[in-house]
Amino acid sequence: MRVRTVPVLLTAAMLLSLAGCLVESTLDEKGGGTLKTEVRGGPTDTIDKTKARFTGPGVEITKATMDDKKNAVVEIKYADFTKLGALKQFENVTFTLTEDLKAKTRTASAVAKYPRPVTLPDDQLKYFGRDVALALTVPGEIVKTDGKSKGKTATWSMPLNTLLSTPTSTFSVTYKHDGPPLGKQDAAPAAGTSTPQAPLPAAK
């Protein structure tokens, strides 16, 4: 793996896609949910610039603060977990939500890609934080995850440099779901009829 050292003036937007100090999300039955991010912005960042990275269709910013040390907290409501990758904050992350109708499970995944792996010098690690913590709370019992699980919450923790120097990192959790298929929660078939549905890709 080729690893390059980034300059001190590396922008926060490049760093803090999934690499916030803390990213917590709660997923609901319909595939929407809430998300909280705690990050430290770059020297020229403002709260307006930070909010802009979380602005997009189906997203409502419910809280956004930044102190004089550039520590920011942003909380949002989102309508579709799979559309979070459209936000500037998560532009290098692909979010998916699939279901296995036979097994009655759903799998939520986030795949972060850094095609040009980087490693931060110590002064930047001290500024932005040395570790990354991620958490996803799902609406059903967790069946499998590549992180750690407690109750209905899956968590991941790693050094920031590990994330940034790895070309592809996957964070995935599979949980039980016994409700209507995705996108069909509000669909009400006429009395005496049924609507056939093609299953989504099975969870892996």
Side-chain angles (χ1 to χ4, degrees):
M1 178 189 303
R2 296 182 62 186
V3 178
R4 63 189 180 91
T5 300
V6 294
V8 174
L9 296 180
L10 178 68
T11 65
M14 292 176 64
L15 274 178
L16 303 177
S17 51
L18 193 60
C21 296
L22 173 67
V23 180
E24 296 177 326
S25 183
T26 297
L27 192 62
D28 64 27
E29 289 280 352
K30 295 183 178 182
T34 61
L35 183 143
K36 175 183 178 181
T37 304
E38 295 181 6
V39 298
R40 190 171 190 189
T44 63
D45 273 355
T46 64
I47 188 60
D48 288 337
K49 287 182 179 180
T50 301
K51 288 169 65 176
R53 294 202 291 267
F54 289 88
T55 300
V59 173
E60 175 189 355
I61 297 176
T62 57
K63 178 180 179 180
T65 63
M66 177 179 283
D67 64 21
D68 56 1
K69 294 183 179 180
K70 302 297 183 180
N71 296 308
V73 176
V74 179
E75 297 180 12
I76 65 172
K77 290 182 179 179
Y78 57 85
D80 189 340
F81 179 78
T82 67
K83 301 295 178 59
L84 288 175
L87 303 182
K88 182 70 173 178
Q89 181 74 10
F90 303 117
E91 62 184 352
N92 69 322
V93 185
T94 300
F95 296 85
T96 59
L97 184 60
T98 59
E99 57 189 352
D100 186 329
L101 299 180
K102 184 176 181 180
K104 295 182 178 180
T105 61
R106 283 184 179 173
T107 298
S109 299
V111 179
K113 293 188 176 182
Y114 294 90
R116 295 182 178 180
V118 300
T119 186
L120 300 185
D122 194 67
D123 59 337
Q124 288 195 34
L125 290 176
K126 183 177 180 180
Y127 181 88
F128 287 107
R130 297 180 182 278
D131 299 303
V132 179
L134 312 173
L136 178 61
T137 299
V138 293
E141 178 186 345
I142 293 178
V143 176
K144 180 177 63 175
T145 179
D146 51 14
K148 296 180 179 179
S149 65
K150 182 177 182 181
K152 294 181 180 180
T153 300
T155 60
W156 299 263
S157 181
M158 67 182 66
L160 176 56
N161 263 345
T162 297
L163 178 63
L164 296 178
S165 64
T166 303
T168 301
S169 297
T170 300
F171 310 90
S172 180
V173 56
T174 299
Y175 59 95
K176 291 184 178 180
H177 175 75
D178 197 19
L182 286 167
K184 301 296 181 180
Q185 291 89 345
D186 299 324
T193 66
S194 61
T195 303
Q197 299 170 15
L200 295 177
K204 296 181 180 179

